[in-house]
Amino acid sequence: MSEDSFVQKGAAATLSIPHIGEPQDFYFLLLPKATMLPVAAAIEPLRIANQVTNTKLYRWYIMTEDGAPLRCSNGMVVTPDLPLGALPSDGMGFVCAGVEPQEAAGEVTLNWLRREHRFGRKLGGICTGAFALAQAGLIKDQPFTLHWENQPGFVERFEHLKPSPNIYEVTSTLMTCGGGSAATDMMLTLIEERHGKQLAIIVADMCLHVRSTSGAAPQKSNYAVAIGSRNQRLLSALQLMQESIEEPLSIGELCTQLDISRRQLERLFSRYLDQSPMHVYSDMRLSHAFALMNETSMSVTQIALASGFNSATHFSRQFKRKFGASPHFFRKGWA
């Protein structure tokens, strides 16, 4: 990008802030099939911050591993500004991934991440970029996150790492977000840290973005919103089911932990969900299996066990009932 393109004229909102020194540089490394929405959601706040202050506070660059154009998950081709290279001392580097993240980062990318980490650069992951960060060995005991859809597959591959359910996580050494508009929230936090709350508010307004109060906001709607009920026993039942995917609880065990009768439990599910508890539980486990089918190279038998099915044959029948194809045909069709 030309230096002139970092500050655009014509913003109705303006803010004068004192600024001395060089702009802060952001580098976005796009991996194959990266999701475009969170990349744009991360860059636009930087552009708007420059626009409303009429000051070059930030510069941003798109990178690919070899500097060649890259096709994103929506089929659009992005032409990068430069190939992988050393980051400046105060530069921030983000790995941007999307679908099939477990195969996206090659050794060149992983070695680049390790090298930049050794030199003390601040790094992060957008959407499913945490896969590459974990593969490079850069995620230790600090909080991190990635898109909720990809978390089951991530946990199966990196059993010692537990992603946060929050929309973003920012620490002194690592910045990650779950994708989508969460990237905007993360960038607004970085803007506020560097240039103050007033600028972050104006940038959010220019984005027509209702800012999350903190990164602790969950990525998914809670069960109460999803089912349109605040019945605490029903919500507790669903939470217990979600926490016991690999080793499912029986109806009796659910009732014991909830301190209600089997008839009460069945009435709750019938009234609010129009399904039996076991049908809801089975669908929940099948959805978990579906995510593992897409995001891991686990065998069908391994996926069945990880989703609470003792029999691969029974799992295959139930999977076909819900998704219209057996696990084996599904995976062949996806490939």
Side-chain angles (χ1 to χ4, degrees), residues 54-76:
N54 195 31
T55 305
K56 195 186 300 179
L57 303 178
Y58 302 104
R59 294 180 296 203
W60 52 91
Y61 305 93
I62 297 292
M63 301 190 299
T64 59
E65 191 173 270
D66 55 3
L70 179 139
R71 191 174 299 276
C72 293
S73 61
N74 62 2
M76 295 182 69

Side-chain angles (χ1 to χ4, degrees), residues 143-211:
F144 74 98
T145 194
L146 68 155
H147 195 286
W148 63 264
E149 182 184 28
N150 306 93
Q151 290 194 13
F154 181 94
V155 172
E156 287 292 338
R157 180 162 185 176
F158 305 102
E159 295 180 357
H160 61 294
L161 299 176
K162 184 177 181 180
S164 157
N166 299 334
I167 59 173
Y168 70 90
E169 296 285 356
V170 174
T171 71
S172 60
T173 58
L174 193 68
M175 306 160 290
T176 52
C177 71
S181 61
T184 295
D185 279 298
M186 181 173 67
M187 287 299 168
L188 290 171
T189 295
L190 298 179
I191 289 170
E192 180 173 336
E193 288 178 353
R194 192 172 179 92
H195 294 293
K197 188 172 185 178
Q198 190 174 2
L199 179 58
I201 290 173
I202 290 176
V203 171
D205 287 345
M206 288 287 286
C207 291
L208 301 183
H209 179 77
V210 179
R211 190 179 180 189

Side-chain angles (χ1 to χ4, degrees), residues 6-26:
F6 290 110
V7 181
Q8 298 174 348
K9 310 297 182 183
T14 59
L15 177 67
S16 178
I17 63 173
H19 175 69
I20 300 174
E22 290 296 310
Q24 186 174 27
D25 292 330
F26 285 78

